[in-house]
């Protein structure tokens, strides 16, 4: 879901969103056992573009069963982003949050990806 008019000329690596959606599905929604959904949205901010990925899976800390696989994906992504950021006029950064920290009624993870103009 794209909520605002966003800069469509930005190059967003497909690997960036795919890794987090795969992690949300395999580590959150499937492990939950009750189904759920993954939402991806994009918003303009004063600093650039914000992409949010929310899942209704299990608590982020409870992902120990798939932690090794997830950590491998994130290490690969971090190396990729380091090289990507050196070659483009903007900076991509991400944060992984446990949704229950901000709202005790919510399970799952929230990924915040910022694409900051330099």
């Amino acid at each position: 879901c794209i909520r605002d008019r966003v800069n469509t000329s930005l190059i967003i690596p497909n690997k960036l969103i795919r890794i987090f959606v795969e992690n949300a599905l395999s580590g959150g929604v499937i492990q939950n056992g009750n189904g759920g959904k993954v939402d991806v949205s994009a918003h303009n901010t004063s600093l650039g573009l914000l992409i949010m990925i929310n899942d209704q899976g299990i608590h982020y800390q409870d992902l120990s069963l798939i932690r090794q696989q997830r950590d491998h994906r994130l290490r690969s992504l971090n190396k990729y982003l380091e090289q990507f950021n050196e070659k483009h006029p903007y900076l991509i950064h991400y944060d992984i949050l446990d949704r229950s920290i901000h709202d005790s009624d919510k399970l799952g993870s929230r990924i915040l990806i910022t694409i900051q103009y330099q």
Side-chain angles (χ1 to χ4, degrees):
C1 171
I2 299 177
R3 301 198 186 261
D4 307 314
R5 297 186 122 216
V6 297
N7 183 349
T8 57
S9 67
L10 289 175
I11 297 171
I12 301 173
N14 63 356
K15 186 178 196 176
L16 179 67
I17 295 172
R18 187 183 76 226
I19 284 176
F20 290 116
V21 170
E22 286 175 356
N23 284 346
L25 290 171
S26 65
V29 174
I30 292 172
Q31 294 293 323
N32 183 355
N34 296 323
K37 69 179 185 175
V38 177
D39 292 317
V40 180
S41 60
H43 312 266
N44 279 321
T45 70
S46 60
L47 297 176
L49 182 65
L50 171 66
I51 300 171
M52 287 196 311
I53 302 169
N54 291 299
D55 71 68
Q56 295 175 333
I58 59 179
H59 289 287
Y60 180 72
Q61 293 97 327
D62 294 338
L63 296 177
S64 59
L65 298 174
I66 60 152
R67 183 165 292 171
Q68 187 174 25
Q69 181 182 14
R70 184 201 65 216
D71 290 348
H72 174 72
R73 286 179 183 158
L74 293 179
R75 278 192 302 275
S76 173
L77 176 62
N78 290 339
K79 288 179 186 177
Y80 178 80
L81 286 178
E82 187 177 313
Q83 295 172 353
F84 185 90
N85 286 335
E86 289 176 3
K87 297 177 183 176
H88 293 88
Y90 40 89
L91 179 66
I92 297 177
H93 176 76
Y94 68 88
D95 289 304
I96 303 172
L97 308 171
D98 188 327
R99 291 177 69 191
S100 67
I101 291 173
H102 301 288
D103 188 345
S104 61
D105 293 349
K106 305 245 177 168
L107 293 178
S109 301
R110 171 173 286 159
I111 312 301
L112 301 175
I113 301 169
T114 55
I115 302 176
Q116 183 177 0
Y117 310 123
Q118 295 188 14

